[in-house]
C-alpha cells in the first residue's frame, strides 16, 4: 500500500509569536504545528498541572479516603494487568503508605489473573477479596472499574464499598460505587480527558494529601513529596499510549527528568539495567518501547504481581532479580508473538486486505496474553482496524477473548458499542477507547461478529481513513543534521498526540547495504533547496526494509542522536519514501 505524505500545517501568527519569544526557528515551527500558540504553554513545571478540584469527585473521594485512613479501615487496591494498571497500583500503594496508611495493617493489592479471572472488578474477584484473611472495608480500582457494574454490586452485597479510579470510557450505566474518579465520566469538566489510570490515581493522592494537611496530619513543610512517584506516572502514561496533551506532558516530562537525574524507584532502575539502557539518557521512547514491554510481559504471560513487586520493592538486589526475570519473559513473549504473527499473516495470504475495512482473526492455538501486540503489528502492516481472538474461559464457558487496535479516524470502542446495540447478545462484554479495546464473544459467534464488525466499520470509515498517511514537518537544513540538534530534539517530551518530528527532504544515496537480511543501512548526502548536494555524508537506517532505494530519493526521516563508546553521532531513521519522484 502506498503512503500519502503530507506536511503538517500551522498558523503563521503562532509561529511568529514563538519566534518573537526567542525560540529556535525550527522548534517554533514544530511547536506551532502541534497546537502551541504562545511560549508560556511550553512551561512544563508541576505548578502548571490542572488542579484536582476540577476532576469530578476527586476531592470528595479524598475526604472519604482520609477518613478511612484515620479510622484504620482496610483497603484493597484492585489493579489491572497492564503497565498502566501496574504503575497505578504501585503509585497507590506507595502514596497511601507515605500518607499514613501502613501496608502491613491497612493497605494491600490484588491483581486479577487475566487468564482465569478476566479484566476488571468482576464478581469472582470480589468474592476472592471477601475471603482474604483480613476482609477489606474498601476496594479501590485502578485503571479499571468504570464498566464493573456486577462487581461493584457484589461488593456492596458483601459489605465492601468501592472507590473507582479509571480513565476508560463508561457505558450508558455507571456502577453504584461510593465514588467514581474518572475524567471521562458524564458531566466531568476536567480539561484533560487523556489522563491514564496512573494519572488519575496520582491526582487522587494529591487531593488526599491536601485533605490530610487540612486535618492537621502534616504541614506544607512536612508533607510527603508525592513528586517522588512521577517516574511511575510517566512510565504508565507513556506505556498506555495516552495522548500527551499539556497536562500529561507536565506529568511525563517531570517523571523522565527524575529518571535522568537518578531519582527513580529501584525497580525502574533495575529494568533499565536489565534492558542494557542508560537511565541518564531516559526518554519517552525508552518508556514506551523498552521498559513498558518488559513490565507488560508479566501480565501477558503469567501474573502482573511479579511486575508490581519489582516496582514496589525498595531492595535494589530484589528489584534487579525481578527485572531480569521480566526481561526473560519479554524475550519469551517475543518468540510467541513472532509465531502468532507468522500464522496470522499466512492466513491472510489469499485475502485481499485492500478490499476490507478491517482485519479480524482467531486461532485456537494463539496465546491470550499476546493478542494485543499481534493486533498492533497487523494494524501497522495493513493500516486496518484489527481484532485478534484467542480461546479463553468465562464463568466456565469456552469463549473467545479479543484484543483490538485501531487507526486514526476510527473510534474502536464506539464501533464495538454500535455492534453491541445492533445485536445485544453478540458481545458478552467489551471496553476500551478510540485506539484500543478488548472484548469477549462466544466461540460460535465469531463468523457473525466478523461480518457485523466489517459492515459497521465500512459505514463509519471513508477512503481517506483507509489511506495510509504520514504527516511530516518539512525540510530541515543540512547544517542542523548534527548530534547537538538531534540531542536537543531528543530532550523534548514526545508521544501520542504530540508526535516526535519527522522531516522530509531529497538525498543523494551514496551507499546502501542490507544488514541481518532485513534492515537497510545507508549513507546519504542531503540535497539543499538550491539543488546542490551537501558535502557531509550522513549515516541512516531504515528498519524492516529490504528493498533498495532509488537515487536520488525523497525521504521522510527522524533525526536521532545515538552514542557509540561515549561519542554522540547523528543518524537518520528513515520512515518513508516518496515514490512520486
Amino acid at each position: 500500500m502506498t503512503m500519502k505524505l503530507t506536511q503538517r500545517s500551522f498558523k503563521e501568527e503562532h509561529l511568529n509569536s514563538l519566534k518573537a519569544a526567542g525560540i529556535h526557528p525550527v522548534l517554533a515551527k514544530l511547536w506551532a504545528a502541534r497546537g502551541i500558540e504562545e511560549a508560556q504553554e511550553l512551561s512544563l513545571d508541576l505548578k502548571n498541572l490542572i488542579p484536582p478540584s476540577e476532576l469530578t469527585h476527586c476531592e470528595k473521594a479524598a475526604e472519604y479516603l482520609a477518613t478511612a485512613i484515620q479510622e484504620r479501615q482496610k483497603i484493597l487496591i484492585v489493579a489491572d494487568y497492564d503497565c498502566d494498571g501496574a504503575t497505578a497500583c504501585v503509585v497507590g500503594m506507595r502514596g497511601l503508605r507515605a500518607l499514613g496508611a501502613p501496608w502491613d495493617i491497612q493497605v494491600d493489592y490484588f491483581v486479577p489473573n487475566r487468564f482465569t479471572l478476566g479484566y476488571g472488578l468482576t464478581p469472582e474477584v470480589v468474592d476472592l477479596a471477601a475471603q482474604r484473611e483480613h476482609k477489606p472495608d474498601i476496594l479501590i480500582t485502578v485503571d479499571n472499574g468504570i464498566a464493573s457494574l456486577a462487581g461493584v454490586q457484589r461488593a456492596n452485597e458483601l459489605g465492601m464499598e468501592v472507590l473507582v479510579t479509571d480513565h476508560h470510557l463508561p457505558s450508558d450505566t455507571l456502577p453504584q460505587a461510593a465514588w467514581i474518579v474518572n475524567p471521562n465520566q458524564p458531566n466531568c469538566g476536567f480539561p484533560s480527558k487523556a489522563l491514564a489510570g496512573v494519572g488519575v490515581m496520582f491526582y487522587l493522592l494529591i487531593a488526599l494529601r491536601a485533605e490530610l494537611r487540612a486535618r492537621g496530619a502534616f504541614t506544607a513543610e512536612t508533607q510527603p513529596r508525592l513528586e517522588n512517584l512521577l517516574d511511575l506516572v510517566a512510565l504508565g502514561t507513556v506505556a498506555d499510549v495516552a495522548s500527551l496533551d499539556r497536562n500529561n506532558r507536565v506529568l511525563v516530562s517531570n517523571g523522565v527528568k527524575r529518571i535522568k537525574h537518578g531519582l527513580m524507584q529501584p525497580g525502574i532502575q533495575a529494568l533499565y539495567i536489565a534492558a542494557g539502557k542508560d537511565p541518564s539518557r531516559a526518554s519517552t521512547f525508552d518508556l514506551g518501547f523498552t521498559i513498558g514491554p518488559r513490565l507488560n510481559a508479566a501480565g501477558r504471560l503469567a501474573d502482573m504481581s511479579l511486575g508490581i513487586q519489582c516496582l514496589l520493592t525498595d531492595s535494589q538486589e530484589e528489584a534487579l532479580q525481578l527485572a531480569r526475570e521480566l526481561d526473560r519473559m519479554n524475550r519469551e513473549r517475543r518468540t510467541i508473538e513472532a509465531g502468532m504473527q507468522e500464522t496470522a499473516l499466512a492466513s491472510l495470504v489469499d485475502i485481499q486486505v485492500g478490499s476490507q475495512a478491517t482485519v479480524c482473526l482467531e486461532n485456537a492455538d494463539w496465546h491470550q496474553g499476546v493478542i494485543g501486540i499481534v493486533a498492533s503489528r497487523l494494524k501497522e502492516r495493513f493500516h486496518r482496524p484489527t481484532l485478534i481472538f484467542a480461546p479463553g474461559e468465562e464463568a466456565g464457558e469456552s469463549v473467545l477473548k479479543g484484543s483490538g487496535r485501531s487507526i486514526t479516524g476510527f473510534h474502536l470502542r464506539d464501533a464495538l458499542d454500535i455492534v453491541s446495540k445492533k445485536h445485544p447478545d453478540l458481545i458478552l462484554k467489551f471496553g476500551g477507547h478510540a485506539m484500543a479495546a478488548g472484548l469477549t464473544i462466544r466461540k460460535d459467534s465469531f463468523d457473525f461478529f466478523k461480518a457485523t464488525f466489517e459492515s459497521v466499520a465500512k459505514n463509519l470509515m471513508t477512503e481517506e481513513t483507509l489511506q495510509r498517511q504520514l504527516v511530516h514537518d518539512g525540510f530541515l537544513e543540512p547544517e542542523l543534521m548534527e548530534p547537538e540538534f538531534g540531542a536537543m530534539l531528543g530532550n523534548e517530551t514526545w508521544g501520542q498526540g504530540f508526535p516526535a518530528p519527522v522531516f522530509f527532504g531529497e538525498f543523494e544515496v551514496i551507499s546502501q547495504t542490507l544488514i541481518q537480511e532485513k534492515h537497510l543501512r545507508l549513507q546519504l548526502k542531503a540535497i539543499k533547496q538550491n539543488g546542490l548536494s551537501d558535502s557531509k555524508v550522513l549515516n541512516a537506517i531504515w528498519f524492516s526494509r529490504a528493498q533498495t532505494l532509488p537515487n536520488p530519493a525523497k525521504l521522510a526521516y527522524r533525526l536521532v542522536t545515538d552514542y557509540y563508546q561515549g561519542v554522540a553521532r547523528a543518524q537518520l531513521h528513515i520512515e518513508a519514501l516518496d515514490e512520486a519522484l
Side-chain angles (χ1 to χ4, degrees):
M1 179 190 295
T2 59
M3 182 179 290
K4 180 181 178 183
L5 275 65
T6 56
Q7 185 166 345
R8 206 179 302 277
S9 62
F10 56 87
K11 292 186 176 178
E12 285 291 338
E13 61 263 34
H14 298 160
L15 173 65
N16 294 333
S17 170
L18 293 166
K19 287 200 294 190
I23 293 169
H24 189 290
V26 174
L27 286 179
K29 181 178 168 186
L30 296 177
W31 301 146
R34 284 154 182 78
I36 303 294
E37 299 180 12
E38 298 177 358
Q40 64 188 37
E41 296 175 51
L42 297 169
S43 172
L44 300 180
D45 294 337
L46 285 171
K47 66 182 180 183
N48 293 305
L49 278 179
I50 301 165
S53 58
E54 296 194 38
L55 183 57
T56 296
H57 299 154
C58 190
E59 291 184 322
K60 289 293 185 183
E63 292 175 21
Y64 171 79
L65 268 187
T67 299
I69 290 173
Q70 292 178 338
E71 293 180 353
R72 302 181 75 76
Q73 295 185 51
K74 294 179 179 62
I75 298 168
L76 183 70
I77 296 176
V78 180
D80 185 20
Y81 40 68
D82 68 358
C83 190
D84 185 21
T87 52
C89 177
V90 176
V91 164
M93 292 287 290
R94 286 188 175 276
L96 288 173
R97 179 171 68 173
L99 293 168
W103 293 356
D104 55 339
I105 300 171
Q106 219 176 331
V107 185
D108 203 353
Y109 75 92
F110 177 74
V111 55
N113 184 298
R114 74 190 301 160
F115 309 113
T116 59
L117 293 171
Y119 168 78
L121 186 71
T122 62
E124 294 80 8
V125 169
V126 173
D127 288 340
L128 287 172
Q131 294 163 19
R132 295 169 75 90
E133 182 181 354
H134 301 292
K135 179 184 172 183
D137 300 299
I138 297 171
L139 304 177
I140 302 178
T141 68
V142 291
D143 192 32
N144 74 92
I146 197 67
S148 300
L149 277 68
V152 172
Q153 181 181 336
R154 180 62 175 159
N156 292 337
E157 291 169 359
L158 295 177
M160 294 180 289
E161 295 187 332
V162 181
L163 166 53
V164 170
T165 74
D166 201 353
H167 69 121
H168 293 98
L169 296 171
S171 58
D172 295 337
T173 306
L174 295 179
Q176 294 298 306
W179 294 104
I180 298 174
V181 185
N182 181 340
N184 290 301
Q185 68 179 303
N187 303 315
C188 180
F190 193 69
S192 172
K193 301 299 183 183
L195 273 182
V198 68
V200 176
M201 188 65 219
F202 184 70
Y203 258 80
L204 180 57
L205 291 175
I206 295 173
L208 175 58
R209 182 177 65 178
E211 176 62 24
L212 288 169
R213 189 172 63 236
R215 296 186 186 194
F218 32 68
T219 67
E221 290 71 33
T222 62
Q223 67 183 9
R225 295 174 61 86
L226 293 179
E227 57 267 38
N228 293 342
L229 302 172
L230 283 169
D231 56 336
L232 295 163
V233 178
L235 172 57
T237 300
V238 172
D240 211 50
V241 203
S243 182
L244 294 191
D245 58 14
R246 187 187 184 191
N247 205 61
N248 272 345
R249 292 204 316 281
V250 169
L251 293 170
V252 170
S253 64
N254 281 279
V256 171
K257 195 180 299 181
R258 292 185 66 82
I259 294 172
K260 283 183 173 181
H261 291 159
L263 303 171
M264 69 196 102
Q265 318 304 321
I268 289 186
Q269 184 176 31
L271 286 165
Y272 267 93
I273 292 169
K277 292 284 187 178
D278 180 0
S280 71
R281 296 197 179 105
S283 68
T284 50
F285 186 88
D286 296 336
L287 298 182
F289 294 97
T290 302
I291 307 304
R294 282 164 173 77
L295 199 61
N296 270 328
R300 294 190 187 283
L301 300 187
D303 185 346
M304 185 46 103
S305 297
L306 185 74
I308 290 173
Q309 188 55 38
C310 179
L311 298 179
L312 267 181
T313 183
D314 289 324
S315 162
Q316 293 183 332
E317 184 179 347
E318 182 186 9
L320 192 54
Q321 181 182 347
L322 291 168
R324 284 174 174 152
E325 174 62 12
L326 290 168
D327 184 63
R328 183 200 65 74
M329 293 175 78
N330 192 50
R331 290 196 299 273
E332 180 185 346
R333 184 270 304 168
R334 284 179 187 161
T335 302
I336 294 170
E337 177 200 335
M340 286 175 59
Q341 195 172 336
E342 188 176 331
T343 308
L345 291 173
S347 71
L348 291 169
V349 166
D350 298 324
I351 298 173
Q352 295 299 314
V353 174
S355 65
Q356 298 177 194
T358 63
V359 172
C360 189
L361 300 170
E362 63 92 16
N363 189 298
D365 297 324
W366 285 348
H367 193 294
Q368 193 185 127
V370 186
I371 52 177
I373 298 178
V374 174
S376 181
R377 299 283 191 270
L378 294 182
K379 180 265 294 187
E380 290 296 329
R381 185 180 182 106
F382 295 110
H383 193 68
R384 294 289 186 271
T386 301
L387 291 170
I388 301 294
F389 289 86
E393 198 169 287
E394 193 80 33
E397 180 186 2
S398 293
V399 295
L400 291 175
K401 301 268 188 168
S403 187
R405 299 294 183 269
S406 193
I407 59 176
T408 300
F410 182 77
H411 197 298
L412 185 54
R413 189 214 167 273
D414 284 0
L416 293 175
D417 191 43
I418 293 171
V419 172
S420 181
K421 284 182 168 65
K422 278 177 175 281
H423 304 282
D425 297 326
L426 183 55
I427 302 177
L428 298 177
K429 61 181 181 180
F430 70 97
H433 45 81
M435 302 303 286
L439 71 159
T440 303
I441 63 173
R442 293 182 181 87
K443 264 190 167 182
D444 58 5
S445 299
F446 176 76
D447 290 337
F448 184 67
F449 170 81
K450 179 179 177 179
T452 305
F453 182 62
E454 171 74 10
S455 173
V456 166
K458 277 190 170 171
N459 286 332
L460 292 175
M461 287 194 286
T462 64
E463 287 296 322
E464 188 178 357
T465 309
L466 293 171
Q467 168 70 55
R468 192 188 297 272
Q469 298 187 46
L470 186 145
V471 184
H472 61 80
D473 292 287
F475 183 78
L476 182 68
E477 294 292 343
E479 55 265 28
L480 292 176
M481 297 177 190
E482 295 287 350
E484 295 78 15
F485 191 72
M488 184 168 73
L489 293 177
N491 283 329
E492 300 297 337
T493 303
W494 311 106
Q496 181 71 22
F498 202 81
V502 173
F503 300 104
F504 181 76
E506 189 173 354
F507 294 87
E508 181 184 349
V509 181
I510 306 301
S511 69
Q512 44 188 326
T513 310
L514 194 61
I515 57 175
Q516 299 175 349
E517 298 184 359
K518 59 179 180 178
H519 307 307
L520 195 60
R521 179 185 287 160
L522 302 153
Q523 287 193 313
L524 307 171
K525 284 187 177 182
I527 296 177
K528 300 178 183 179
Q529 289 185 313
N530 62 9
L532 298 175
S533 288
D534 191 56
S535 59
K536 178 173 55 186
V537 176
L538 300 159
N539 292 315
I541 190 164
W542 192 338
F543 292 108
S544 302
R545 161 99 181 191
Q547 188 180 352
T548 56
L549 301 184
N551 190 15
K554 286 185 175 177
L555 302 169
Y557 63 93
R558 301 183 191 275
L559 176 64
V560 175
T561 297
D562 68 352
Y563 297 86
Y564 180 71
Q565 295 182 344
V567 178
R569 306 179 304 177
Q571 188 178 61
L572 307 188
H573 287 190
I574 309 302
E575 297 283 322
L577 167 70
D578 185 350
E579 299 181 29
L581 181 66

